Amino acid sequence: MPKKYHIHPKATPLDLEYIFKFKIVRGENCINCGKCAKVCIYEAHERQKGDPRKMADPNTVLCRNCFRCIQECPRGALEKSLERNFMDIGGSYWKPDMFITLWKQAEDGKVPVTGAGYRGPFTGTGFDSMWTDMSEIVRPTRDGIHGREYISTSVELGRKLNHLAFDANGQLLSPIHDTVDLPIPILFDIPADNLSGNVKVALIKAAAAINTYIIMPTAGITPDVEEYTPNIIPCITHKEIAQHQALLKKARIVAVEYDGELLNNFQVVKDKIKSISSALTIIRIPAVKDVEAIVAKLAHSGAEIIHVVADYRGLEVNGPPSSSPRLITDIIRAVHLRLIDERIRDEVTLIFSGGIAMAEHVPKAMLCGADLTAIDMPLLIAIGARLYEEPEKLLVLPEGLEKIPVEIVTQRIINLMGAWHSQLLEVMGAMGIREARRLRGETGRAIFFDEIDKDTFGKLFKKREAASV
Ligand code: SF4
Ligand code: SF4
């Protein structure tokens, strides 16, 4: 049995002022009896480290709203109130509760549960309109999660062969392409410009700690992060290849921003990179209208890895303002199916990013047809960032973040990925899938609300409509 991939979480509270949905406050009438610490299974209450006679301030981010401590406090000293500003965070895509979930995951790396239960809604748009088929939930494949069977979350990046060709003597004629294994189907994408030095270093260190890669503009690859270059994917334009030769020589993977010119001279660009380095090449394409046609053309030209980048809400980009942009789920399915139609899907690795906000979006994106995903915003939310969608995108980093030690920021990102990895194992175990690469395009193991709604009620309402005419 291969060695199990494991991400090591560690409780890492962030000592910064950031807002929560509910604020839990301990009043002055507290007698420090410690009952709240005993009854709270989420460990939101504990005694002060320096003076164990006294209770510490409650850790609101760990609270899952079960109200048990409030009911059981003998002095009625605990109070929970709704933080009104919290509901303004996010917008139509990034719901306020997503921030609580991500903060909580970064805090302790555990799979979040809610004491108050989930009261819906049970469907929505994009990823929310998809459910996974968990019919294996009580069957032995669950053993994989708890150790008796191995569930592999690893995926492979690179060009693969559709078939093998041999000569008359049985010698292999097909060129075997280089590939890179990732133990988790998630890459980090640089989430914002002008991040403080500690945050940038922490993102890189966290990527290295969990054996994944981070895509970074070359300006951010400074001498202080040189030791982590094996986990950094420098992002360049094809015109900058010569200028960044030294960097490309050290890189295992390089990302090249797509532009129209690349479509017709991809092979020239690829050869140029290959003459400098053995790095694999990712082509990064914005998720424009009809991106599937561009992806197909690049795949036919020999592209090995293609990264389609939607906007931060998982929407198609650069369309006319009047058009209704496609959602990330539809974009992934369109690209995946186009490559299947053109019989080239298995040869190319597809990465999708933009709107990958929650742990469950990773397996859902893969079910739609992605080989893996790249994430950006959740990395910053893990360290207390808030995002506002209206009136326009605004990212607010917590005050004082630049002074937080790199180790704390790093561990919170590792915790986040630990929680996402655990949830990926849970989903795969419940679906009876033991290898993450088998999730790709398995739409038969997903339920799409729009499709079953149409199948179930479409005919019925059509008949009624026809009868009422
Ligand atoms: S149960 Fe109430 S009185 Fe006891 S330590 Fe907790 S808040 Fe204080
Ligand atoms: S409400 Fe429940 S989860 Fe929250 S602090 Fe009290 S006991 Fe813990």
Side-chain angles (χ1 to χ4, degrees):
M1 188 159 124
K3 194 169 176 290
K4 265 197 162 185
Y5 173 67
H6 188 63
I7 295 176
H8 300 279
K10 197 165 89 190
T12 314
L14 195 57
D15 195 12
L16 287 174
E17 281 288 309
Y18 55 114
I19 57 173
F20 306 105
K21 185 172 186 177
F22 296 104
K23 207 172 174 169
I24 183 153
V25 180
R26 195 186 313 283
E28 285 185 354
N29 52 339
C30 166
I31 53 169
N32 297 299
C33 67
K35 185 154 192 194
C36 49
K38 279 196 191 109
V39 298
C40 178
I41 59 168
Y42 305 107
E43 298 169 4
H45 297 282
E46 56 179 34
R47 291 190 175 273
Q48 286 182 16
K49 295 243 158 29
D51 183 358
R53 291 171 303 171
K54 294 185 186 150
M55 297 301 292
D57 285 338
N59 187 341
T60 302
V61 78
L62 293 181
C63 171
R64 302 312 289 168
N65 306 321
C66 72
F67 288 91
R68 190 163 170 202
C69 60
I70 291 160
Q71 281 173 333
E72 302 215 9
C73 171
R75 301 302 291 257
L78 291 166
E79 199 176 281
K80 215 160 164 37
S81 53
L82 185 66
E83 176 61 75
R84 302 201 72 78
N85 293 337
F86 177 82
M87 300 314 280
D88 297 333
I89 301 179
S92 59
Y93 189 85
W94 290 87
K95 306 280 182 336
D97 279 346
M98 287 180 172
F99 291 79
I100 282 283
T101 301
L102 296 170
W103 288 334
K104 160 85 177 63
Q105 291 168 341
E107 196 90 355
D108 59 11
K110 294 180 185 164
V111 177
V113 289
T114 169
Y118 183 69
R119 284 165 291 172
F122 291 94
T123 188
T125 54
F127 291 118
D128 289 342
S129 70
M130 263 181 94
W131 306 312
T132 48
D133 167 6
M134 296 199 175
S135 52
E136 302 281 334
I137 202 153
V138 292
R139 301 186 66 181
T141 42
R142 299 276 296 157
D143 287 350
I145 301 160
H146 305 293
R148 278 184 286 178
E149 281 183 33
Y150 187 65
I151 294 182
S152 166
T153 54
S154 73
V155 290
E156 207 177 34
L157 270 84
R159 185 101 183 163
K160 285 143 219 150
L161 295 173
N162 230 344
H163 59 273
L164 294 175
F166 296 89
D167 67 13
N169 301 320
Q171 294 299 311
L172 184 66
L173 294 175
S174 313
I176 301 296
H177 302 287
D178 202 9
T179 56
V180 166
D181 277 339
L182 278 190
I184 184 168
I186 300 170
L187 291 176
F188 292 179
D189 212 350
I190 196 77
D193 300 330
N194 304 326
L195 292 175
S196 56
N198 61 335
V199 173
K200 185 190 81 176
V201 173
L203 288 168
I204 297 170
K205 282 181 84 167
I210 65 164
N211 280 326
T212 189
Y213 291 80
I214 179 162
I215 302 169
M216 290 199 75
T218 48
I221 311 173
T222 42
D224 55 324
V225 296
E226 197 153 341
E227 64 178 296
Y228 301 105
T229 38
N231 293 87
I232 297 175
I233 301 177
C235 187
I236 56 172
T237 66
H238 64 92
K239 294 184 179 128
E240 294 170 335
I241 294 172
Q243 185 189 333
H244 294 295
Q245 285 199 35
L247 211 48
L248 297 195
K249 271 187 190 144
K250 289 187 213 153
R252 188 75 193 83
I253 310 173
V254 57
V256 178
E257 295 281 7
Y258 171 81
D259 69 22
E261 277 178 42
L262 205 60
L263 204 54
N264 297 318
N265 68 358
F266 174 74
Q267 199 51 51
V268 178
V269 171
K270 198 173 159 188
D271 291 345
K272 226 177 184 179
I273 293 173
K274 289 280 174 235
S275 70
I276 299 168
S277 145
S278 59
L280 300 183
T281 309
I282 297 178
I283 304 295
R284 262 167 82 87
I285 312 175
V288 291
K289 197 169 162 46
D290 210 19
V291 66
E292 52 271 38
I294 303 172
V295 172
K297 193 156 180 206
L298 284 169
H300 283 297
S301 314
E304 45 202 9
I305 311 165
I306 299 173
H307 177 181
V308 178
V309 186
D311 88 343
Y312 76 107
R313 293 188 279 200
L315 294 174
E316 209 166 60
V317 295
N318 297 346
S322 55
S323 67
S324 49
R326 286 184 296 181
L327 293 165
I328 184 83
T329 40
D330 297 328
I331 300 167
I332 301 173
R333 291 184 83 185
V335 174
H336 173 70
L337 292 175
R338 176 68 170 259
L339 295 189
I340 288 177
D341 283 349
E342 304 207 5
R343 296 190 171 82
I344 195 161
R345 177 64 187 94
D346 283 338
E347 291 176 46
V348 64
T349 303
L350 291 179
I351 308 169
F352 287 86
S353 67
I356 306 291
M358 305 298 289
E360 70 265 23
H361 294 176
V362 174
K364 285 181 175 178
M366 294 170 83
L367 288 169
C368 287
D371 287 288
L372 68 153
T373 54
I375 59 165
D376 43 23
M377 284 303 156
L379 301 170
L380 291 185
I381 295 170
I383 48 179
R386 281 174 276 152
L387 181 67
Y388 295 87
E389 292 180 29
E390 302 297 343
E392 61 185 21
K393 182 183 172 190
L394 174 68
L395 181 70
V396 180
L397 295 172
E399 237 174 83
L401 181 63
E402 67 288 349
K403 295 196 190 110
I404 297 286
V406 169
E407 292 66 37
I408 290 182
V409 184
T410 307
Q411 187 60 53
R412 285 184 69 91
I413 297 162
I414 294 172
N415 286 353
L416 180 79
M417 289 297 96
W420 283 34
H421 180 246
S422 300
Q423 285 173 86
L424 181 58
L425 286 177
E426 287 286 340
V427 170
M428 289 171 62
M431 293 179 77
I433 292 180
R434 293 191 186 91
E435 288 177 64
R437 63 194 174 89
R438 294 203 182 278
L439 282 170
R440 193 196 78 189
E442 269 288 334
T443 45
R445 304 301 308 279
I447 301 148
F448 292 86
F449 173 75
D450 290 345
E451 288 171 12
I452 55 158
D453 191 43
K454 210 157 108 198
D455 280 357
T456 315
F457 299 110
K459 288 178 202 142
L460 186 70
F461 287 116
K462 241 189 216 160
K463 266 188 208 161
R464 278 201 194 153
E465 273 163 26
S468 62
V469 171

